[in-house]
């Protein structure tokens, strides 16, 4: 018997560098859909030696080295935006909903590697994904052989493969990204061939987690002549083509308006000149030139039916007083009217706190806490045939589902069980690779908050991939979200097939965004019940 010590888990749970090591399991069982990909995390004692991996069986596999990532702060229990997001005082006790007291490290970053894992402080940490080959039947097995020096350990993985296929993406997902960071953090020039190839790699990482939408933010590069306000969007064409080529379905375009420089005020100014009020005659005329140019660009490329539009982010959030919202509505409706006049049939999507902007918004995206607080109003929209999504960002904290690094890993997955339970048609997050102010996400994970509202953002909120060597490196959180999105598709299939079985399963796993099953052992049982019910 091997004397190699280690730790392994296939459950949706964090692994830490200081995890206690013991005798590795010789056999493990996984359940899966026939086109799904399951993962196993390992930490193995190896001294100063590297570890060699061999995998045998009728499976496709991937091997990643797990990189420890710092968590500087704990997330506080604030449920709404505009408050304090992280606990700066280290003398305070660990918040009830955090996994550990900060600061600590956790294995989140996944670096693609070959069959050799280098030692880090006497341990080799790695993540292996397994996907049965097509046509293997209802059972499949693979041997994972680990060799450290002369010691060899083999874990047999028994896979029960249900004859159930995860369907193509119907749940709409978007993670906003930063094109300049795709150049800056990989030392390539913006707009160069190398940059375009890097964008393609990021698009593939998005596609991996079943992302369907991509947000193209329009900036000053489109201005040809500011005196006469002439616009040219052709610089965006090769970038947009990449995302469509990689299988993403819909482009989000925007913005038209901004609330800067007065973030909590009532005024909407032109996004490319925050001193130009869109209520002024000049602002109105410039906006219409802008929209005409966008229409021409979309028509030339036959993208008119593959685009939705953002007007201004969170129009009903951050207000100085109650009258501000009513003042904002007037301008917002005017902008929406002009947008629809120029681009016939276009839908407006917006992150919101309320259902108050009726007639201006087509795709409602409330914060999960906002949805819970106004569930009846948003459910009325759903029952009326309107699209309602869900989003999380720097909040909510506490018991709410979110993807912060000090929250249980399974919360990332359960976000998408909520999409099914509430009949939400999409999910949005603001931070795919939103590293700010030269932050190094391998050394710091709490992103600077430049709104002036509250503290820095919670650890991991701004990104779900890491700027690796020549490519983005995915994360355990992205993997959990991928599996959650797959679960949502399976759950929605079951709702169509067997409502009684659906209600039983969903009610045991997800009751609300604050009440859910976080026990990973029990979750595995209910996941298999889902697969069995679809069989």
């Amino acid at each position: 018997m091997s004397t190699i010590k280690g730790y392994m888990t296939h459950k949706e749970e964090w692994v830490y560098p200081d995890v206690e090591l013991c005798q590795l399991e010789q056999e493990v069982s996984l359940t899966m859909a026939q086109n799904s990909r399951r993962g196993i995390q390992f930490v193995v004692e190896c001294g100063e030696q590297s570890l060699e991996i061999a995998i045998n069986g009728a499976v496709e596999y991937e091997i990643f080295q797990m990189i420890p990532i710092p968590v500087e702060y704990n997330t506080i229990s604030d449920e709404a935006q505009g408050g304090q997001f992280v606990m700066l005082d280290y003398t305070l006790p660990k918040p009830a909903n955090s996994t550990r007291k900060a600061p600590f490290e956790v294995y989140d970053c996944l670096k693609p590697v070959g069959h050799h894992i280098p030692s880090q402080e006497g341990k080799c940490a790695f993540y292996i994904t397994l996907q049965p080959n097509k046509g293997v039947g209802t059972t499949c097995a693979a041997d994972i052989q680990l060799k450290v020096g002369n010691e060899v350990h083999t874990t047999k993985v028994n896979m029960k493969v249900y004859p159930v296929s995860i369907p193509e993406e119907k749940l709409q997902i978007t993670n906003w990204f930063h094109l300049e960071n795709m150049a800056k953090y990989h030392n390539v020039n913006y707009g160069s061939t190398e940059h375009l190839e890097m964008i393609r790699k990021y698009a593939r990482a998005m596609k991996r987690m079943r992302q369907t939408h991509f947000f193209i933010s329009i900036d000053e590069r489109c201005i040809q002549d500011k005196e006469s306000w002439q616009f040219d969007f052709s610089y965006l064409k090769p970038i947009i083509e990449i995302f469509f080529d990689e299988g993403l379905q819909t482009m989000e375009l925007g913005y038209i308006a901004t609330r800067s420089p007065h973030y909590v005020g009532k005024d909407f100014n032109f996004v490319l000149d925050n001193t130009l009020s869109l209520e002024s005659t000049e602002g109105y005329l410039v906006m219409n030139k802008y929209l005409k140019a966008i229409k021409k660009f979309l028509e030339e490329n036959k993208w008119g039916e593959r685009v939705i539009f953002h007007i201004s982010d969170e129009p009903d959030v951050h207000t100085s007083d109650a009258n501000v919202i009513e003042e904002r509505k007037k301008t917002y409706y005017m902008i929406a009217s002009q947008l629809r006049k120029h681009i016939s049939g276009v839908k407006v999507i917006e992150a919101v706190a309320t259902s108050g902007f009726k007639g201006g918004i087509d795709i409602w995206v409330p914060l999960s806490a906002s949805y819970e607080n106004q569930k009846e109003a948003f459910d009325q929209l759903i029952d009326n045939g309107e699209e309602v999504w869900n989003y999380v960002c720097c909040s909510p904290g506490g018991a709410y589902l979110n993807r912060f690094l000090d929250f249980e890993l399974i919360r990332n997955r359960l976000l998408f069980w909520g999409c099914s339970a509430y009949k939400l048609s999409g999910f949005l997050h603001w931070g795919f690779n939103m590293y700010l102010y030269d932050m190094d996400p391998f050394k710091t994970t709490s992103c600077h908050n430049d709104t002036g509202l509250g503290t820095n953002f919670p650890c991991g909120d701004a990104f779900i991939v890491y700027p690796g060597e020549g490519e983005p490196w995915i994360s355990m959180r992205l993997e959990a979200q991928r599996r959650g999105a797959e679960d949502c598709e399976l759950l929605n299939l079951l709702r169509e097939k067997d409502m009684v079985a659906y209600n039983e399963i969903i009610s045991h796993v997800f009751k609300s965004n604050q009440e859910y099953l976080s026990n990973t052992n029990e979750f595995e049982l209910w996941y298999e019940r889902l697969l069995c019910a679809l069989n």
Side-chain angles (χ1 to χ4, degrees), residues 30-72:
L30 302 177
T31 57
M32 59 181 64
Q34 58 189 3
N35 59 339
S36 64
R37 183 182 295 275
R38 294 294 305 264
I40 307 174
Q41 299 178 78
F42 289 84
V43 180
V44 175
E45 188 177 66
C46 57
E48 296 181 359
Q49 302 179 83
S50 63
L51 178 144
E52 185 176 344
I53 300 173
I55 300 175
N56 299 299
V59 294
E60 295 180 7
Y61 60 86
E62 300 169 309
I63 304 173
F64 300 87
Q65 181 185 1
M66 299 197 303
I67 308 295
I69 296 299
V71 182
E72 309 102 288

Side-chain angles (χ1 to χ4, degrees), residues 224-239:
Q224 279 192 311
D225 179 6
K226 194 167 184 178
E227 290 296 321
S228 59
W229 286 106
Q230 300 298 313
F231 302 96
D232 181 0
F233 302 100
S234 59
Y235 74 101
L236 290 171
K237 181 176 180 179
I239 296 171

Side-chain angles (χ1 to χ4, degrees), residues 442-463:
F442 295 102
K443 297 179 180 179
T444 179
T445 54
S446 179
C447 181
H448 175 72
N449 175 6
D450 62 359
T451 67
L453 303 170
T455 58
N456 278 13
F457 293 146
C459 293
D461 179 48
F463 57 90

Side-chain angles (χ1 to χ4, degrees), residues 439-487:
M439 69 178 289
D440 182 346
F442 295 102
K443 297 179 180 179
T444 179
T445 54
S446 179
C447 181
H448 175 72
N449 175 6
D450 62 359
T451 67
L453 303 170
T455 58
N456 278 13
F457 293 146
C459 293
D461 179 48
F463 57 90
I464 200 165
V465 295
Y466 294 82
E469 299 163 4
E471 63 184 343
W473 292 346
I474 63 172
S475 65
M476 286 304 303
R477 290 175 296 141
L478 184 144
E479 282 288 271
Q481 289 200 9
R482 169 181 66 81
R483 285 187 281 265
E486 293 173 351
D487 294 346

